[in-house]
Amino acid sequence: TTISSSLRWTTNVASLLSVFLFSGIIFGWAPLELMLAREGQYDEFCVDETEEKMCPEQSIRLQRLFTLAQFLLNFVSLPIGYMLD
């Protein structure tokens, strides 16, 4: 069967749009991690409240969040790729 030109363009535009909108969280993680730390995410796991930078436990929690997001991005790519093909 022949795929119409409009369906091809729609698929390509939707794919590029999703990458543009959703990949920034993964690829822009370093600045986002600093912002989350400044906002006080996972501060309850820090023992010493006087530290200016991230405590090790806070850093570990943020890295777990990144690892989970990266895994889910790669895991979901397989079934979505199969559905698109």
Side-chain angles (χ1 to χ4, degrees), residues 64-76:
R64 282 183 190 165
L65 186 66
F66 173 74
T67 302
L68 178 66
Q70 190 75 321
F71 169 75
L72 290 175
L73 176 70
N74 290 324
F75 182 74
V76 171

Side-chain angles (χ1 to χ4, degrees), residues 12 20 22 27 35 39 44 47 51 68 71 76 81 84:
N12 286 336
F20 178 72
F22 301 118
F27 297 118
M35 287 175 22
E39 291 291 323
E44 63 269 11
V47 177
E51 289 185 16
L68 178 66
F71 169 75
V76 171
L84 286 175

Side-chain angles (χ1 to χ4, degrees), residues 20-40:
F20 178 72
L21 291 175
F22 301 118
S23 65
I25 293 174
I26 300 299
F27 297 118
W29 178 254
L32 183 60
E33 183 180 17
L34 293 174
M35 287 175 22
L36 289 171
R38 275 190 228 130
E39 291 291 323

Side-chain angles (χ1 to χ4, degrees), residues 1 6 9 12-13 20 23 36 38 41 47 49-50 52 55-56 58 61-63 65 70 75-77 82:
T1 63
S6 63
W9 277 103
N12 286 336
V13 167
F20 178 72
S23 65
L36 289 171
R38 275 190 228 130
Q41 294 298 317
V47 177
E49 298 286 332
T50 60
E52 290 292 322
C55 67
Q58 184 183 25
R61 299 284 175 152
L62 289 169
Q63 288 304 315
L65 186 66
Q70 190 75 321
F75 182 74
V76 171
S77 295
Y82 180 74

